[in-house]
Amino acid sequence: MSTTSEQPQVATHQVSNRWISLFAISWLGIWLAQLTPFQLTLPEQVNDLLGLDGNNLAESQWHRSVIGFGIVSGVSAIFALIAFPVAGSLSDRTTGRLGRRRPWIFSGVALFAIALVLMGFQHTWVGLAICWSLVITGFSVASSALTALISDQVPVYQRGVVSSWVSAPQAIGVVIGVAVVSLLGLSPIPAYLLVAVLLVVCTLPFAFYLQDPPVGDHGLPSFNLRSVWNELWISPLRERDFGWTLLGRILVNIGNALGTSLLFFLLQFGLHVADPADKVLTLTLVYTVCVVIAALVSGRLSDRLRVRKPFVLGAGVLQGFAAIVIAIQPTLTSTAIAAGLLGAGFGCFLGVDQALATQVLPDAATTGKDLGIMNIAMAVPQALGPLIGAFVVAWFGGFTALYVASAVFGILGGLSVLRVRGVR
């Protein structure tokens, strides 16, 4: 590997299929390790602390479960809010022999894996909140470095395809992780150990394969936490396209989080189906298949057609329509149809949005920091979704309001891309 210091520059050479494959496997490990606990083991630990049976929650109890889970997840969202831009800004300034982004992949994955193992031994609210916040911090550091590589090394005409391999593993990883942990009947300690091992196994090959030559001093000021914090608010306001892209990402992700995070409770207490756990698995598979197909197809098409905005607009509208289907006709059949539409809409968004984000960045020298800010809009809505959703259902007395809110956020998120001027 070359060790010659280089200045950051726009990527012009196409990345190889091997690069993309190892990159995709890295994301599979990251999503599996983050979403499996989020969907399965963390809620189980919360229910244990509350003294509740997660498989037989009474209607008067599920709000307690979701709010308890939401509080732990909400605390971690604060850490994500800080970790994403800070890690990105530090990686922009890294000039050591290991390269610009690689040290942050290694350190993020290490913290991520260690914190996952520690999660299995927690039996208090404080312990859960601290360790899960460390998990999300490690996830944020590693994700920040990996997404910055798209801007560093992938030419614009290939970013749709590469971005789709960030998003498709998200849907695949959660299904694989939940299925393996459930089928093996793993308790929290072995479950967390398993996903930690899979995280390391999936991410290290790409980290070692990566050509990440050191970048010399390119005129950035010394790292300052206050300036990074200020940039959280200044960049979106100062850079029009950056701000509208960020807003659209926030809205679409909140809409998706509201539409998916309380699915089990919709089936059990809204539709009163006899076997909600089995139906959740079926609907999740429908959703996942549609996410993966839509992400891969939209990413490739957006590269070929050299356009991003129509895909993001269509994704937001389709996601909103899916939520309206449930709000108007809440049946098991309509929910299954909506799961497919929601998956297709969100997959189309995921397949193109990351590529769009890399094309509205203000400065090639600060891509890590700016993409870190963009990534907040992916992680924080997911973390807060269950808590926000529980309050919407409680305040408005039913699930109809939840899916109306999901539809409004999705459609507004899609429409916001029309305000972006610098990208077609």
Side-chain angles (χ1 to χ4, degrees), residues 15-30 102 105 146 149 162 165-166 169 198-211:
V15 293
S16 67
N17 289 334
R18 185 179 181 187
W19 192 101
I20 296 173
S21 298
L22 293 175
F23 184 72
I25 292 170
S26 291
W27 280 106
L28 177 66
I30 284 174
R102 193 196 335 257
I105 298 174
L146 285 167
L149 286 169
V162 173
W165 284 112
V166 175
L198 291 175
L199 166 67
V200 173
V201 169
C202 288
T203 53
L204 286 187
F206 179 73
F208 283 114
Y209 171 77
L210 177 66
Q211 300 294 312

Side-chain angles (χ1 to χ4, degrees), residues 86-87 247 250:
V86 168
L247 177 62
I250 291 171

Side-chain angles (χ1 to χ4, degrees), residues 13 23 34 39 55 61 115 117 138 164 167 178 208 254 281 302 310:
H13 298 294
F23 184 72
Q34 192 257 334
Q39 295 286 343
N55 295 318
Q61 295 175 323
V117 174
S164 69
S167 53
V178 170
F208 283 114
I254 290 176
L281 179 59
S302 72

Side-chain angles (χ1 to χ4, degrees), residues 72-95:
V72 173
S73 185
V75 171
S76 73
I78 298 172
F79 282 77
L81 184 67
I82 298 170
F84 269 121
V86 168
S89 185
L90 287 170
S91 72
D92 288 336
R93 291 163 169 79
T94 299
T95 59

Side-chain angles (χ1 to χ4, degrees), residues 22-364:
L22 293 175
F23 184 72
I25 292 170
S26 291
W27 280 106
L28 177 66
I30 284 174
W31 289 124
L32 185 153
Q34 192 257 334
L35 292 176
T36 301
F38 186 80
Q39 295 286 343
L40 189 62
T41 48
L42 180 57
E44 288 177 350
Q45 288 175 295
V46 168
N47 285 332
D48 287 343
L49 285 174
L50 292 170
L52 301 176
D53 181 356
N55 295 318
N56 296 286
L57 287 175
E59 192 158 358
S60 61
Q61 295 175 323
W62 76 267
H63 287 91
R64 291 176 59 205
S65 176
V66 174
I67 291 172
F69 172 71
I71 290 172
V72 173
S73 185
V75 171
S76 73
I78 298 172
F79 282 77
L81 184 67
I82 298 170
F84 269 121
V86 168
S89 185
L90 287 170
S91 72
D92 288 336
R93 291 163 169 79
T94 299
T95 59
R97 293 179 61 189
L98 283 177
R100 193 182 189 193
R101 312 298 181 187
R102 193 196 335 257
W104 300 96
I105 298 174
F106 282 133
S107 59
V109 168
L111 176 59
F112 195 173
I114 291 169
L116 282 169
V117 174
L118 293 176
M119 278 291 296
F121 297 92
Q122 303 311 308
H123 302 287
T124 66
W125 288 108
V126 173
L128 278 185
I130 291 174
C131 288
W132 186 247
S133 295
L134 291 175
V135 167
I136 296 303
T137 300
F139 163 80
S140 301
V141 171
S143 298
S144 181
L146 285 167
T147 51
L149 286 169
I150 299 176
S151 182
D152 290 349
Q153 300 195 6
V154 182
V156 170
Y157 63 83
Q158 204 180 11
R159 288 182 187 175
V161 169
V162 173
S163 295
S164 69
W165 284 112
V166 175
S167 53
Q170 179 176 351
I172 299 170
V174 66
V175 170
I176 292 175
V178 170
V180 170
V181 171
S182 298
L183 289 173
L184 295 177
L186 299 179
S187 61
I189 292 176
Y192 281 116
L193 180 60
L194 174 64
V195 296
V197 170
L198 291 175
L199 166 67
V200 173
V201 169
C202 288
T203 53
L204 286 187
F206 179 73
F208 283 114
Y209 171 77
L210 177 66
Q211 300 294 312
D212 185 27
V215 176
D217 182 4
H218 41 273
L220 289 176
S222 300
F223 176 80
N224 183 290
L225 187 58
R226 178 179 293 181
S227 67
V228 173
W229 179 253
N230 289 338
E231 282 293 306
L232 281 174
W233 323 110
I234 294 173
S235 287
L237 294 175
R238 183 179 57 205
E239 305 292 339
R240 174 191 172 92
D241 285 356
F242 183 89
W244 281 109
T245 303
L246 177 65
L247 177 62
R249 179 176 276 205
I250 291 171
L251 294 173
V252 169
N253 278 284
I254 290 176
N256 186 71
L258 293 178
T260 58
S261 60
L262 298 185
L263 181 59
F264 177 86
F265 301 105
L266 168 70
L267 294 174
Q268 186 170 17
F269 301 116
L271 304 183
H272 303 287
V273 302
D275 50 352
D278 290 341
K279 292 299 187 293
V280 165
L281 179 59
T282 301
L283 294 175
T284 300
L285 288 173
V286 172
Y287 172 83
T288 299
V289 169
C290 292
V291 167
V292 173
I293 293 174
L296 297 178
V297 171
S298 65
R300 187 169 295 277
L301 276 178
S302 72
D303 281 346
R304 288 185 178 179
L305 299 176
R306 305 295 175 95
V307 295
R308 312 292 189 198
K309 290 164 60 175
F311 290 93
V312 176
L313 173 62
V317 172
L318 184 57
Q319 181 174 299
F321 179 72
I324 290 172
V325 169
I326 299 178
I328 294 176
Q329 189 66 30
T331 65
L332 185 58
T333 301
S334 66
T335 303
I337 294 171
L341 295 174
L342 186 63
F346 195 54
C348 182
F349 175 80
L350 291 174
V352 177
D353 177 67
Q354 191 69 44
L356 173 64
T358 63
Q359 291 178 244
V360 298
L361 300 180
D363 188 343

